């Protein structure tokens, strides 16, 4: 922690929490046992991010594609979300954390929708870490929603095709209120983005670790941030331009 440069923290970190199933299977347990333990990591990382001074943290909890998993795993995950959110909201609120949910939330069961709504409303005025949970989320789904939204504006004459800019698309995404992630972490040794924030990750530094999500803790987050701080972010410029601030 002492080695972190607090003036060069990524404002927004996005995490693909992968490896719960394998972690459990390696222990001869059911996959849900892994998800259950994954919640401890969520708690630890949210606390750590808040303590370190990260402003935005996005966690990929459930993808659109995850609906195709065995029914028992999907049902188990849904009740885990509902129980965890209900249980954690008072503490999150006490710690000034503001919760957001992104994704096709209309597909969620009613109790999950109610839990999400309650969590969002309770923490709406908090000013600390903004915790964004991607649930029933996929980037291609999000982009299609955004394009439909813009097409409607063009169709009704509120906008001309030539008015469409990067900012137009950004405003139509579910992440419009947040800056793009600067650091994307994926656990468990998979080297993919898996339909996660495809547009928003355009300039993110990508960090992959073999550690399974249920074993991922504050020290692992700090290692990822230290790795981020050791990189030179050029945004298409040359190294010399970056170093001389041209
Ligand atoms: C990926 O591991 C993980 C998930 C699909 C679920 C992640 C959910 C949690 C950690 C619970 C979080 C709870 C809240 C409230 C945010 P996997 O099942 O794909 O693992 P595998 O690749 O080893 O099979």
């Amino acid at each position: 922690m002492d080695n972190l440069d607090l003036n060069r923290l990524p404002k927004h970190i996005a995490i693909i929490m992968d490896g719960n199933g394998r972690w459990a299977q390696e222990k001869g347990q059911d996959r849900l046992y892994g998800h259950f333990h994954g919640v401890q990591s969520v708690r630890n990382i949210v606390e750590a991010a808040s303590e370190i001074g990260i402003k935005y943290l996005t966690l990929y909890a459930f993808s659109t594609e995850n609906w195709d998993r065995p029914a028992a795993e999907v049902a188990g995950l849904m009740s885990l979300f509902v129980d965890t959110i209900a249980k954690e909201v008072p503490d999150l609120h006490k710690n000034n954390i503001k919760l957001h949910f992104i994704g096709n939330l209309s597909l969620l069961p009613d109790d999950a929708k109610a839990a999400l709504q309650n969590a969002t409303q309770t923490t709406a005025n908090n000013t600390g870490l903004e915790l964004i949970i991607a649930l029933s989320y996929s980037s291609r789904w999000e982009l299609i929603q955004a394009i439909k939204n813009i097409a409607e504006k063009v169709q009704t004459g509120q906008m001309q095709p030539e008015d469409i800019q990067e900012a137009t698309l950004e405003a139509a995404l579910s992440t419009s209120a947040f800056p793009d992630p600067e650091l994307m972490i994926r656990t468990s040794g998979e080297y993919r983005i898996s339909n996660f924030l495809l547009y928003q990750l355009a300039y993110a530094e990508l960090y992959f670790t073999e550690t399974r999500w249920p074993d991922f803790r504050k020290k692992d987050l700090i290692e990822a941030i230290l790795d981020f701080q050791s990189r030179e972010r050029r945004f298409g410029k040359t190294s010399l331009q970056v170093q001389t601030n041209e």
Side-chain angles (χ1 to χ4, degrees), residues 16-26 31 34-42 46 59-63 66 69 73 77 80-86 88 101 131-135 186-188 190 192 212-214:
I16 302 181
M17 309 181 287
D18 198 9
N20 293 349
R22 274 165 288 168
W23 183 87
Q25 279 160 348
E26 282 154 13
R31 297 174 55 81
H35 298 314
F36 187 77
H37 278 268
V39 173
Q40 311 298 326
S41 303
V42 171
V46 168
L59 301 178
Y60 203 3
F62 192 84
S63 72
N66 287 152
R69 290 198 173 188
E73 184 174 345
L77 271 169
L80 186 62
F81 295 143
V82 174
D83 293 351
T84 306
I85 291 162
E88 298 295 333
F101 296 90
L131 174 60
I132 303 134
I133 311 272
L135 254 184
R186 183 173 188 152
T187 59
S188 202
E190 304 291 343
R192 291 186 292 279
R212 307 256 189 257
W213 178 252

Side-chain angles (χ1 to χ4, degrees), residues 134-182:
L135 254 184
S136 186
Y137 173 88
S138 92
S139 195
R140 289 184 177 179
W141 167 83
E142 179 189 38
L143 286 166
I144 288 166
Q145 300 313 305
I147 291 162
K148 281 185 185 161
N149 185 291
I150 296 167
E152 266 168 33
K153 288 197 176 130
V154 172
Q155 195 178 34
T156 55
Q158 295 169 64
M159 180 180 272
Q160 297 304 311
E162 55 274 20
D163 298 333
I164 300 172
Q165 315 273 341
E166 283 188 16
T168 321
L169 183 56
E170 283 157 12
L173 295 173
S174 53
T175 51
S176 59
F178 322 122
D180 286 345
E182 289 166 271

